[in-house]
Amino acid sequence: MNNENTVNQAASQAEIDSIMKKYDRESNQRIWTGKYKMAIRLLMAAFSLWCIYVTLFATFLEEIRLTSFMALIVLMGFLIYPAKKGEMKPNHMPWYDVVLMVAGTASYLYFTFNANSIIQQGTRFKPYQIVIGVVAVLVLLELTRRSVGIPILCVAAFFIIYALAIGLTNPDFFGRVRYFIRNLFYTKEGIFSTPVNVCSKYIIVFIIFGAFLERTGISQFFISLANCAAGKYAGGPAKVAVISSALCGMVSGSSVGNTVTTGSVTIPMMKETGYKSEFAGAVEAAASTGGQIMPPIMGAAAFLMADFIGVPYSGILSRAILPAVLYFAGIFISVHLEAKRLKLSGIPAEQLPKFRHLFKKLYLLLPLVMLVIWVSGNYMTMQKAASYAIVLAIVVSLFDKNHRISFSKCIDALEAGGKGTITVAAACGVAGIIAGSITMTGLANELINGIITIANGHLIIALVLTMLCCIVLGMGVPTTANYCIMAATCAPILIRMGVPALAAHFFVFYFGIVADITPPVALAAYAGSAIAKANPMKTAFNASRLAIAVFIVPYVFCFNPALLLIDTTAAEVVLIAVTSFIGIFGVSAALGGYLMGQLNPVIRIALIAGGLLLIVPGLLTDVIGLAVIAAAVVLQRMTHRQLA
């Protein structure tokens, strides 16, 4: 019997690994064994420790910090990621990969060891220095193709070709190349601009913190806590999936990764309860994707947003709470109504964890709680708070013998942190190339002026065009890189049209994330469908319907920033929260087509109209919306009684 269970678990894990490799580019890695594996493991751990040291204590030039960081990213990237999928030969690295790795690493280290002289020489660059810059750019692009994927490379190639062929005014082609490479590689306007700076300073420390937090057993604790809170109610497993994925997703920061890891537990439970396969996969994908907008960590883009806008990180967190709650409330309501429609029961009480047992493990939340307190209270810098939280995670793990972080687990966490940084740093570097190309050529102003002309003063048109750009660019592009690109191109359009900077950046951030569940390239939904063994496109459309709040709320806070707690009072916040929640309820019920019974088309339209009016902050819209939804609910109740 034990052997049979072991085989089943192994098969399940093999299935999970297969899905991750199919839908998550980051999971396609070389196979290292023996002493090679140990050497690379120690290299990753040393890199993580070095990054923590540099962010906390280093006082040398910023150019030295950034170039050495990227040099190590290139070195580790080629050691981890093969040229194509399916290279399974253990301890094998082709000669051309060695050449690319050495050439790329040497290019960045050249800048590191000659930073002072390069800064002092101004614009006078020798031909060999331009060649070094060209090698550095090309190697970074190749690493991004391997670790991130083709879509972002296509975007970067378009802007590079535009800059060299049309955008730059120098009639001499080689003159254009010199100017282009000098700005991209030897200044902080290209590769070493804000994205890489934030990645090397903040993001990596939080990635390492997430790796340590996972090893304390907090993911399983979140799932157990969700089971305890919602498992016994109608359609319990789906509600558990929503809560646990929201909690786990804010730590992992990966839509696909979170869908697969938590979905491997929650999706089979949902199917067993009675949910259709495509609905079960959609619930997990929508909830896992929303984890990136869930405070306090919000994936990596929140750190970039704080730097782009110039506001404290705590200011981003506080303003993200209400939209995130509305997002998950919409999914939760849809799940509940679907359970009522299918007459599903909850998980039997004897199978649920007891709260008194979970209460003893509440100490696992201490690192997260203290991180929020340290950051929001401005007691210390973000990187220092994250570093202290790492130490605290190690300390709290000592109270659980099953998840105690030993020296070996410390190395594992540091290794995972180093690996996790490679794709983010590569994407940030390419995002810097794109932003630099746009800035050098003046294309940003042309795009802004073009869209403003098309919009003709109508904000809604500019918002729709911006949304489409974010979703298209976000298909297959990591959230961090997508946000960097849109922050450089589309956010200024909205700001020019009078939208507050914070609302404009939240808008592009949200629609960059939602690309993971929006057809036709909905990677998180496809990963969920693979676990659920459901139709991928049906799963993607279900996920988009469940996540309807994320398609509505960004428009609302652009028209009325009070939803982001900008220039508002406590009483207004309470009113906005209540009315928005009722509005989301109306829209979710209408899209699901069920409320105490099947809804006819007229009531569905009324619920959508009333819901949208309630989501838009404003006394008049709130009164009309409440009246419409109340009338629709009363009419539906009367119809239901007659049928009964």
Side-chain angles (χ1 to χ4, degrees):
M1 185 69 180
N2 290 336
N3 290 337
E4 185 180 345
N5 289 336
T6 303
V7 171
N8 290 337
Q9 289 173 3
S12 176
Q13 186 59 46
E15 185 180 11
I16 291 170
D17 292 341
S18 173
I19 293 169
M20 284 292 287
K21 287 186 177 182
K22 184 175 181 180
Y23 295 107
D24 184 30
R25 186 84 185 189
E26 194 175 348
S27 298
N28 290 283
Q29 300 178 1
R30 295 188 200 278
I31 299 174
W32 296 106
T33 60
K35 60 184 180 182
Y36 297 103
K37 180 179 180 179
M38 180 58 67
I40 291 172
R41 187 169 178 242
L42 293 175
L43 173 64
M44 299 286 176
F47 168 76
S48 294
L49 288 172
W50 178 82
C51 286
I52 293 173
Y53 166 78
V54 168
T55 57
L56 292 178
F57 306 112
T59 56
F60 43 71
L61 276 175
E62 193 169 59
E63 284 81 358
I64 294 176
R65 174 173 64 83
L66 296 174
T67 53
S68 58
F69 173 77
M70 288 306 294
L72 290 170
I73 288 294
V74 169
L75 175 67
M76 297 189 304
F78 280 92
L79 286 172
I80 296 298
Y81 295 103
K84 59 183 179 180
K85 291 183 179 181
E87 290 190 14
M88 306 299 290
K89 188 176 179 181
N91 299 335
H92 174 69
M93 188 171 179
W95 65 268
Y96 50 83
D97 278 358
V98 176
V99 171
L100 287 172
M101 180 183 70
V102 172
T105 305
S107 299
Y108 287 95
L109 288 178
Y110 167 78
F111 195 167
T112 303
F113 290 107
N114 297 277
N116 285 301
S117 60
I118 288 171
I119 293 169
Q120 292 171 5
Q121 74 183 58
T123 60
R124 301 181 303 275
F125 280 85
K126 298 173 182 177
Y128 77 88
Q129 291 178 311
I130 300 301
V131 171
I132 289 173
V134 170
V135 171
V137 170
L138 292 177
V139 168
L140 176 61
L141 291 172
E142 169 58 14
L143 174 59
T144 306
R145 181 194 69 79
R146 296 178 180 211
S147 61
V148 180
I150 295 292
I152 189 175
L153 210 64
C154 294
V155 177
F158 169 79
F159 285 107
I160 291 172
I161 292 169
Y162 173 84
L164 294 176
I166 302 171
L168 299 177
T169 56
N170 192 327
D172 176 26
F173 176 75
F174 291 104
R176 293 198 296 271
V177 171
R178 282 195 298 273
Y179 177 79
F180 187 70
I181 293 299
R182 180 177 67 81
N183 279 274
L184 279 190
F185 185 65
Y186 291 107
T187 72
K188 288 189 282 186
E189 297 175 5
I191 293 174
F192 307 113
S193 57
T194 297
V196 165
N197 188 15
V198 173
C199 181
S200 65
K201 202 171 185 179
Y202 307 123
I203 294 175
I204 181 170
V205 188
F206 278 84
I207 290 175
I208 297 168
F209 168 60
F212 272 93
L213 206 59
E214 287 175 6
R215 279 152 184 80
T216 63
I218 197 166
S219 294
Q220 186 56 49
F221 174 74
F222 281 150
I223 294 174
S224 298
L225 195 62
N227 267 298
C228 184
K232 65 181 179 180
Y233 299 106
K239 293 171 181 175
V240 169
V242 175
I243 297 171
S244 61
S245 296
L247 296 172
C248 295
M250 69 179 178
V251 176
S252 72
S254 168
S255 301
V256 175
N258 193 29
T259 299
V260 173
T261 50
T262 57
S264 62
V265 176
T266 59
I267 290 175
M269 287 171 60
M270 284 187 269
K271 290 176 64 179
E272 188 176 341
T273 302
Y275 286 105
K276 291 182 179 179
S277 297
E278 57 266 22
F279 188 85
V283 169
E284 183 56 53
S288 295
T289 299
Q292 293 182 81
I293 63 172
M294 188 72 180
I297 296 179
M298 296 173 63
F303 308 108
L304 287 163
M305 193 184 298
D307 204 271
F308 269 121
I309 306 173
V311 299
Y313 180 66
S314 56
I316 302 292
L317 299 188
S318 60
R319 286 164 172 78
I321 292 172
L322 186 52
V325 169
L326 289 176
Y327 177 86
F328 285 103
I331 301 175
F332 200 88
I333 290 166
S334 297
V335 160
H336 176 74
L337 294 176
E338 181 71 7
K340 289 295 185 182
R341 187 177 70 84
L342 297 173
K343 296 180 173 57
L344 303 181
S345 59
I347 301 171
E350 60 273 12
Q351 296 179 19
L352 293 172
K354 305 300 181 196
F355 182 74
R356 65 176 181 272
H357 296 149
L358 294 177
F359 183 79
K360 298 175 183 177
K361 291 193 173 184
L362 282 179
Y363 60 82
L364 291 173
L365 298 176
L366 190 61
L368 269 175
V369 172
M370 292 308 301
L371 175 67
V372 174
I373 292 172
W374 288 330
V375 172
S376 59
N378 293 320
Y379 294 108
M380 58 186 74
T381 60
M382 285 189 286
Q383 58 267 45
K384 192 172 183 180
S387 302
Y388 280 15
I390 290 170
V391 175
L392 194 54
I394 296 172
V395 172
V396 300
S397 76
L398 299 177
F399 295 93
D400 185 351
K401 62 181 180 180
N402 294 323
H403 294 97
R404 193 166 292 160
I405 298 181
S406 60
F407 178 76
S408 177
K409 282 189 176 180
C410 277
I411 299 297
D412 287 342
L414 291 170
E415 179 192 9
K419 277 186 180 179
T421 306
I422 295 171
T423 52
V424 178
C428 285
V430 173
I433 291 174
I434 294 168
S437 303
I438 293 170
T439 304
M440 270 186 276
T441 57
L443 183 59
N445 285 329
E446 292 180 25
L447 288 171
I448 292 170
N449 293 331
I451 292 182
I452 289 175
T453 302
I454 295 171
N456 194 25
H458 297 94
L459 179 58
I460 186 66
I461 297 175
L463 290 173
V464 170
L465 292 173
T466 303
M467 176 192 75
L468 293 174
C469 287
C470 291
I471 291 176
V472 171
L473 283 175
M475 290 177 177
V477 177
T479 304
T480 308
N482 176 261
Y483 169 68
C484 291
I485 298 165
M486 301 316 296
T489 55
C490 290
I493 298 169
L494 304 182
I495 295 170
R496 182 85 69 86
M497 296 196 71
V499 176
L502 192 63
H505 281 264
F506 262 100
F507 186 91
V508 300
F509 176 42
Y510 270 48
F511 281 113
I513 288 171
V514 83
D516 281 339
I517 53 172
T518 305
V521 188
L523 294 182
Y526 294 166
S529 71
I531 297 174
K533 295 179 174 57
N535 181 288
M537 198 56 68
K538 285 184 179 179
T539 305
F541 278 111
N542 269 287
S544 298
R545 175 174 64 83
L546 290 168
I548 188 63
V550 84
F551 290 94
I552 299 172
V553 170
Y555 284 91
V556 177
F557 57 58
C558 282
F559 282 106
N560 193 331
L563 196 64
L564 289 175
L565 314 184
I566 299 174
D567 298 328
T568 187
T569 63
E572 289 173 334
V573 170
V574 174
L575 180 63
I576 290 168
V578 172
T579 55
S580 297
F581 180 82
I582 298 172
I584 289 293
F585 167 79
V587 174
S588 299
L591 291 176
Y594 183 88
L595 179 64
M596 296 178 285
Q598 295 297 323
L599 295 173
N600 65 49
V602 175
I603 294 180
R604 292 179 76 170
I605 293 171
L607 285 171
I608 289 175
L612 292 176
L613 286 169
L614 279 167
I615 294 170
V616 176
L619 184 59
L620 180 61
T621 55
D622 288 347
V623 171
I624 297 173
L626 278 172
V628 171
I629 284 189
V633 171
V634 169
L635 185 59
Q636 174 64 15
R637 186 174 181 83
M638 291 169 59
T639 305
H640 178 63
R641 281 182 174 177
Q642 288 174 358
L643 292 173

